[in-house]
Amino acid sequence: MTILVVGATGATGQLLVEQLLNRGHKVKVIVRSPEKLVKAVANNDNLALISANLLELSDSEMIKYTNKCDAVVSCLGHNLNLKGIYGQPHKLVRDATHRLCNAIKANNSGKSTKYILMNTTGNSNRDLNEPISFGEKCVIGLIRLLLPPHVDNEMAADYLRTNIGQKDPMVEWVAVRPDNLVNEENVTKYQVHPSPIRSAIFNAGQTSRINVGHFMADLITEENVWNKWKGQMPVIYNVASM
Ligand SMILES: NC(=O)c1ccc[n+]([C@@H]2O[C@H](COP(=O)([O-])OP(=O)(O)OC[C@H]3O[C@@H](n4cnc5c(N)ncnc54)[C@H](OP(=O)(O)O)[C@@H]3O)[C@@H](O)[C@H]2O)c1
């Protein structure tokens, strides 16, 4: 398979790329800081490195880079500093998702391409009736006001849910929702649920980035896993944190 990963220099993106390469797939990455890629990944013959600022690419470049990809994954996230949180681009994840999906459609490859979005348990799947307490609603309202990246994450998932929807012939999607992200060396046991089973605000569990990468790699390569979760926003928890 050929997979395009954006956000590939990130803490989760790197682990996903490594696992896809270990499974023998070809991976394309569009990165603005190639020096951040670990050597084992950067020097892998199956890695195609495109050095560019994603949202500065033209539409025709996006079309070229998504051409013949079986899957496109966004592990994008705003850098956790003042510029990343409050500076441009405010809608990094939403705009990347929108433009990459448009590019997939423009390629008109005759088969559907998988789009996987890294999202968050702080966002609800509004296709389902996910219960949220009054206290959680208040805190999420505050987060929306104070932390623009949260709104960006919500808008990216909403774009997939409402603009791409469940029946698009070109794009099938999954928005993966990890709980509190932690770093671990190895893949461990994890559980995947259609909706949160604990409060993301008042009782968050943990999800290791390497487990997120493993689940995303399974979504791409295992048809039964894809068919189980396509068009949904699965929540992933480390078993050890439950
Ligand atoms: N922290 C948590 O507990 C938690 C929980 C659930 C979900 N999440 C979500 O998970 C996602 C990824 O998390 P992570 O920790 O793996 O992220 P990360 O390490 O911060 O990686 C973010 C990636 O996005 C890229 N990026 C940032 N700004 C960009 C821009 N303007 N243009 C192009 N690329 C840009 C970064 O590129 P550079 O390397 O060039 O900066 C990097 O590759 C985020 O959306 C976050 O909201 C976080």
Side-chain angles (χ1 to χ4, degrees):
M1 286 183 160
T2 300
I3 301 115
L4 172 65
V5 180
V6 297
T9 50
T12 312
Q14 299 241 17
L15 297 169
L16 168 66
V17 171
E18 202 174 351
Q19 292 183 68
L20 290 170
L21 291 170
N22 288 345
R23 293 185 192 203
H25 300 292
K26 291 189 189 315
V27 181
K28 283 190 219 179
V29 297
I30 302 173
V31 296
R32 58 182 185 168
S33 5
E35 71 285 352
K36 287 191 187 170
L37 286 173
V38 296
K39 281 214 172 67
V41 165
N43 297 335
N44 190 301
D45 288 344
N46 279 336
L47 186 90
L49 196 155
I50 298 138
S51 191
N53 195 328
L54 182 66
L55 292 183
E56 287 172 7
L57 294 176
S58 66
D59 288 346
S60 57
E61 286 170 315
M62 288 258 185
I63 292 168
K64 181 172 85 181
Y65 295 137
T66 53
N67 189 30
K68 296 197 166 61
C69 287
D70 299 283
V72 176
V73 187
S74 164
C75 290
L76 289 168
H78 294 253
N79 287 350
L80 294 181
N81 53 36
L82 273 182
K83 188 164 175 273
I85 294 174
Y86 297 105
Q88 293 286 358
H90 296 304
K91 300 292 178 285
L92 165 71
V93 189
R94 194 276 312 265
D95 288 353
T97 297
H98 184 184
R99 293 194 59 207
L100 287 164
C101 287
N102 278 350
I104 291 169
K105 290 182 184 204
N107 277 312
N108 201 2
S109 68
K111 67 177 185 68
S112 64
T113 301
K114 296 172 176 176
Y115 190 91
I116 299 176
L117 172 71
M118 181 153 179
N119 208 237
T120 166
T121 47
N123 184 25
S124 306
N125 179 353
R126 278 166 279 278
D127 281 341
L128 307 176
N129 199 10
E130 295 186 339
I132 304 178
S133 69
F134 178 71
E136 283 172 304
K137 274 187 192 149
C138 293
V139 175
I140 289 171
L142 264 181
I143 292 174
R144 281 193 190 118
L145 277 176
L146 300 175
L147 296 173
H150 182 72
V151 178
D152 186 20
N153 278 337
E154 289 185 324
M155 290 175 98
D158 279 351
Y159 172 81
L160 292 173
R161 260 189 340 98
T162 59
N163 290 61
I164 301 295
Q166 302 288 338
K167 290 186 182 145
D168 194 287
M170 305 283 180
V171 184
E172 293 183 350
W173 59 272
V174 171
V176 174
R177 291 185 285 172
D179 224 4
N180 222 359
L181 286 171
V182 293
N183 292 324
E184 279 179 9
E185 284 284 304
N186 298 306
V187 175
T188 55
K189 281 197 176 155
Y190 58 86
Q191 283 186 2
V192 185
H193 298 267
S195 294
I197 58 165
R198 55 199 297 163
S199 164
I201 303 291
F202 299 120
N203 180 30
Q206 290 188 336
T207 313
S208 60
R209 289 178 168 91
I210 198 163
N211 283 350
V212 176
H214 186 271
F215 178 52
M216 287 178 166
D218 272 1
L219 282 167
I220 293 164
T221 60
E222 310 295 322
E223 273 321 281
N224 59 329
V225 180
W226 183 259
N227 288 330
K228 181 168 179 188
W229 294 111
K230 72 178 171 187
Q232 299 182 65
M233 297 175 55
V235 177
I236 169 170
Y237 300 103
N238 283 7
V239 167
S241 81
M242 304 194 62

